[in-house]
Amino acid sequence: MSLHSALQPARLLGHPIRWRIVERLLLRPLCVSDLARILQLPESSISSQLQIMARAGGVIAQRSGRSICYRVSDRFALLTAALRQQLQISEQTDSALIADAWNAGQA
């Protein structure tokens, strides 16, 4: 494995919207519409970011009736946990994650 391919997952998580999506998906699988409501972003933006992460193996799509829901791959879950610990990021310290947690609780 080259250094470039080894660092690809970390680069993908470097995008703030993708990080927020992964943080929500770590809690439970969610559909695009749920993520859009929680993150207060257009469904098209969420869908685009999920497609990028799916191509890289970061999220896994699962059909649920007429919707497609996503979950985080084990590889990305481990990487996210390591980055969160190293950077000391949590729902208690990051304003975007605080807002997302509040929005998720409003369902």
Side-chain angles (χ1 to χ4, degrees):
M1 177 183 285
S2 70
L3 181 60
H4 176 77
S5 61
L7 293 175
Q8 183 64 16
R11 274 196 293 279
L12 286 171
L13 289 172
H15 190 285
I17 293 174
R18 289 192 287 258
W19 180 269
R20 291 171 62 200
I21 289 171
V22 168
E23 284 285 341
R24 291 295 104 202
L25 293 178
L26 285 169
L27 300 174
R28 64 185 167 108
L30 293 166
C31 297
V32 173
S33 59
D34 297 325
L35 284 164
R37 180 184 47 75
I38 291 168
L39 302 179
Q40 297 185 339
L41 293 168
E43 286 187 22
S44 60
S45 296
I46 300 295
S47 183
S48 295
Q49 298 304 327
L50 285 167
Q51 288 175 13
I52 291 167
M53 289 191 291
R55 280 194 300 270
V59 295
I60 298 164
Q62 299 172 310
R63 183 158 294 281
S64 176
R66 294 173 53 188
S67 300
I68 298 176
C69 295
Y70 293 85
R71 67 177 179 83
V72 178
S73 70
D74 292 342
R75 179 176 161 200
F76 264 48
L78 291 171
L79 178 60
T80 303
L83 287 170
R84 188 187 307 125
Q85 181 179 6
Q86 187 65 32
L87 301 173
Q88 298 179 350
I89 297 171
S90 71
E91 286 185 356
Q92 289 74 38
T93 61
D94 184 271
S95 60
L97 296 178
I98 292 167
D100 295 343
W102 189 85
N103 291 332
Q106 299 303 304

